Amino acid sequence: MAKNIKRPGGELASRPLHFIWIVDRSGSMHGEKIQTLNFAIRQTIPDMRASADDNPNAQLLIRSLKFSTGAQWINATPISVNDFEWNDLDADGVTDLGKACELLAEQLKIPPMSERALPPVLVLLSDGQPTDNYKKSLDELKALPWGKKAVKVAISIGEDADDNVLAEFTGNRELVLPADNPQALVKMIKWASTLVKQVSAPSSKRDGDAPVVVDMDNIPDVSSDADVW
Amino acid sequence: MFQAMPMFGNGAMDLTFSPISARVRGANHKKTGIRCQDNYGIRRLDKMLIIAVADGHGSSDCKYSDIGSEKAVNSFCDIIEKICKSCSDLEQLHALLSRNKDDTIPTKICDEWNRKIERLHKKAHPDEDFDRLLYGSTLLGLAVCDQFVFAAQLGDGDILSVAANGSTDRLIVTERILGTETHSLSSDSAWITMYTTIKYFPAVGETPVLFMLSTDGMANSYATDEAFLLCGKDYADSIQQYGLEEVGKKLKGWLTETTEGGSGDDIAVVLAVSEAIIRA
């Protein structure tokens, strides 16, 4: 007769999936840009929650980091997507991307990151040129094991953003997404939020091939959107 | 050092180690309709048990990787069985495995896999260009008797060894590749990335009581590595208390619970269990 034998092993757990918004709130973002950004990120929350419900084996954890003069975590402790809320940011100051990279790097080390986590998703939103010595910090970030494996996307806001710097961050120019007007910014932020679906249930990949391959077929076409910033 | 043993037959004599096994399709693949990518293999010879597990990559680039993992476990079992049967006794077998574990044996296993998949592909998909990547898979294998164990690992997954006192260790410690990447049979010179080991048991009391091969969906389902390693002692204790057959019946259900509560990935597990705890 089948006995009630306890399942061997200890506690089970889904794999953590860290999603981090990295937001430029420098003075040049003042006005429509920051307002649209605030609106767009807030709009992503219901769909990200739905994604999380569809993929219960990935524990979706959200964090946000803001940078202008200096950089600070908006929430340094990862929050379950079900508890995540977006509070509007204002815009003021310069563009200390390097400081942002330093803060990111501290959190991508092991620990606090776990070896069993899924590849983290980092989304950088910026409209300008870095005003600090960002290169050293960015290189250190990208040299970390999780820095290499992370899915990195950048949204280039307006015509003054330095796409070369953003491409250094992503490691792939195709993952620098143009957002020259409010409609485009909303579309690109929404697309970036859908990356959680791609990373939530990944298949194994042969080591040495590209890390998580992002499906870029669905990146919105914003070429026809009017009113360039 | 070695007891003189007869030529290796087909398991007609009592095995020192007995297997139980199961595989389950993960929650993620059930949702997307993808077949289970994990497979296992078992070969019983007199006094020697050969077991293997493999995990097909399952990505869109690897659309036949469920077949790849099946051929992987068959390749390991075929090659090791051939080696066993080429030896007249355990001493000769131990010497042969020791001498060739780092190069010849990994090469033979990888070559056998390549042969199997290429032959199958030409027959099943004659109009499609052959590419090893289509069948990409990991491979973990083990051959054990009461005097020594030989193990091989290419890619992620775990091979656990459980001592009589319940302490559990990995038989092979590989580099940890973060995220979802792994070494693969489909890589060029894949044999170089196959880790192997052979361990001799100098005294009866030092023979492990259980070995567990599992694909990475298993370990990735546990909150911590310690929680996963606890499986070793728990399986040994359950078998000792309830018997091999009873635990064997429960295995698939436990793996289903594990993937659903954990990684969502496919899982294949084979346990090699010593008669020392089965008949205890």
Side-chain angles (χ1 to χ4, degrees):
Chain A
M1 173 181 146
K3 296 181 174 56
N4 216 9
I5 313 172
K6 180 183 163 294
R7 172 187 56 76
E11 185 191 350
L12 299 174
S14 51
R15 294 176 79 176
L17 168 50
H18 293 273
F19 185 100
I20 305 178
W21 296 109
I22 307 147
V23 180
D24 175 354
R25 59 168 290 272
S26 58
S28 54
M29 287 285 290
H30 180 73
E32 194 175 40
K33 287 181 186 174
I34 199 76
Q35 286 168 12
T36 306
L37 181 147
N38 286 328
F39 167 78
I41 290 183
R42 193 175 295 109
Q43 288 293 106
T44 65
I45 296 174
D47 285 343
M48 289 177 89
R49 287 178 180 161
S51 264
D53 288 341
D54 279 346
N55 293 284
N57 297 108
Q59 186 193 11
L60 181 52
L61 300 165
I62 317 273
R63 271 178 285 186
S64 331
L65 190 160
K66 60 184 178 181
F67 66 99
S68 52
T69 305
Q72 299 87 34
W73 284 103
I74 299 172
N75 60 297
T77 305
I79 297 177
S80 162
V81 66
N82 290 323
D83 298 324
F84 179 75
E85 300 289 345
W86 180 259
N87 296 312
D88 285 356
L89 294 179
D90 59 6
D92 185 30
V94 294
T95 312
D96 287 347
L97 176 61
K99 293 275 190 310
C101 292
E102 277 177 31
L103 291 185
L104 269 175
E106 276 305 305
Q107 292 299 307
L108 288 187
K109 289 179 182 167
I110 302 167
M113 283 287 287
S114 156
E115 285 185 343
R116 62 183 290 273
L118 291 163
V121 179
L122 312 178
V123 181
L124 168 63
L125 300 103
S126 178
D127 78 330
Q129 309 238 356
T131 49
D132 63 354
N133 181 9
Y134 74 93
K135 252 196 163 326
K136 181 169 174 291
S137 305
L138 179 56
D139 287 346
E140 284 172 3
L141 171 67
K142 288 166 66 177
L144 293 171
W146 275 125
K148 288 178 194 165
K149 300 288 182 177
V151 175
K152 300 182 282 290
V153 169
I155 299 178
S156 169
I157 303 175
E159 290 187 316
D160 294 329
D162 189 330
D163 286 359
N164 290 328
V165 172
L166 298 181
E168 284 182 62
F169 175 81
T170 63
N172 179 350
R173 192 163 278 272
E174 288 185 87
L175 290 175
V176 177
L177 312 177
D180 292 340
N181 57 64
Q183 295 84 357
L185 182 55
V186 171
K187 286 180 186 174
M188 292 307 186
I189 286 176
K190 182 175 166 63
W191 181 83
S193 73
T194 65
L195 288 170
V196 295
K197 281 187 205 165
Q198 293 187 43
V199 181
S200 287
S203 18
S204 296
K205 286 190 62 61
R206 191 168 62 178
D207 184 39
D209 292 347
V212 176
V213 173
V214 172
D215 179 5
M216 295 189 275
D217 286 346
N218 293 323
I219 295 179
D221 176 9
V222 297
S223 53
S224 61
D225 289 354
D227 300 335
V228 173
W229 275 319
Chain B
M1 173 168 144
F2 286 96
Q3 297 173 24
M5 299 299 296
M7 294 285 288
F8 295 97
N10 292 313
M13 294 174 64
D14 288 341
L15 279 172
T16 309
F17 284 83
S18 297
I20 52 172
S21 55
R23 66 172 188 148
V24 293
R25 189 163 65 142
N28 293 333
H29 286 162
K30 281 182 187 168
K31 206 185 315 173
T32 55
I34 294 175
R35 287 186 294 266
C36 180
Q37 301 292 305
D38 291 8
N39 271 288
Y40 64 83
I42 298 172
R43 212 65 64 89
R44 295 167 174 81
L45 308 180
D46 289 343
K47 298 296 179 184
M48 202 82 193
L49 177 65
I50 303 168
I51 58 176
V53 297
D55 179 357
H57 300 330
S59 65
S60 52
D61 290 338
C62 308
K63 58 182 177 174
Y64 307 131
S65 56
D66 56 325
I67 307 293
S69 65
E70 181 191 332
K71 295 303 175 191
V73 297
N74 289 346
S75 298
F76 180 86
C77 292
D78 286 350
I79 294 297
I80 300 301
E81 180 177 3
K82 210 175 282 187
I83 292 173
C84 288
K85 289 185 171 176
S86 73
C87 297
S88 56
D89 56 42
L90 284 178
E91 183 173 2
Q92 188 184 18
L93 176 59
H94 182 271
L96 189 64
L97 290 171
S98 298
R99 261 198 323 271
N100 296 287
K101 69 178 178 61
D102 293 326
D103 36 42
T104 307
I105 292 174
T107 305
K108 280 186 183 300
I109 293 169
C110 293
D111 285 351
E112 179 65 15
W113 181 77
N114 277 300
R115 257 194 302 277
K116 283 186 188 323
I117 58 164
E118 188 166 5
R119 193 165 57 229
L120 177 139
H121 186 86
K122 283 182 176 163
K123 201 169 172 187
H125 310 284
D127 297 329
E128 189 178 353
D129 287 341
F130 171 68
D131 183 349
R132 286 196 301 267
L133 179 59
L134 292 167
Y135 297 84
S137 175
T138 65
L139 173 60
L140 294 84
L142 182 147
V144 63
C145 61
D146 61 349
Q147 297 183 45
F148 65 84
V149 62
F150 165 80
Q153 178 165 354
L154 193 162
D156 53 31
D158 297 277
I159 304 177
L160 300 187
S161 170
V162 184
N165 65 3
S167 67
T168 301
D169 294 295
R170 286 181 169 84
L171 209 50
I172 293 178
V173 178
T174 63
E175 58 172 316
R176 172 88 195 215
I177 300 178
L178 296 179
T180 55
E181 289 165 56
T182 178
H183 290 308
S184 173
L185 280 164
S186 64
S187 297
D188 294 337
S189 303
W191 70 273
I192 294 173
T193 60
M194 184 176 283
Y195 292 75
T196 56
T197 189
I198 186 161
K199 291 196 190 308
Y200 168 66
F201 314 133
V204 169
E206 296 188 28
T207 306
V209 297
L210 185 146
F211 296 96
M212 183 175 95
L213 265 61
S214 59
T215 52
D216 73 326
M218 180 82 160
N220 281 336
S221 293
Y222 288 89
T224 63
D225 198 47
E226 290 73 26
F228 167 63
L229 290 175
L230 199 50
C231 285
K233 182 178 185 304
D234 285 354
Y235 272 111
D237 288 347
S238 294
I239 289 165
Q240 201 152 14
Q241 188 172 356
Y242 299 106
L244 189 69
E245 191 180 338
E246 208 55 47
V247 171
K249 285 181 197 166
K250 303 288 279 182
L251 187 54
K252 190 156 188 164
W254 284 336
L255 297 188
T256 300
E257 184 185 335
T258 302
T259 177
E260 286 177 357
S263 65
D265 196 3
D266 302 337
I267 301 177
V269 166
V270 185
L271 299 166
V273 185
S274 168
E275 63 183 8
I277 61 170
I278 296 173
R279 295 176 189 177

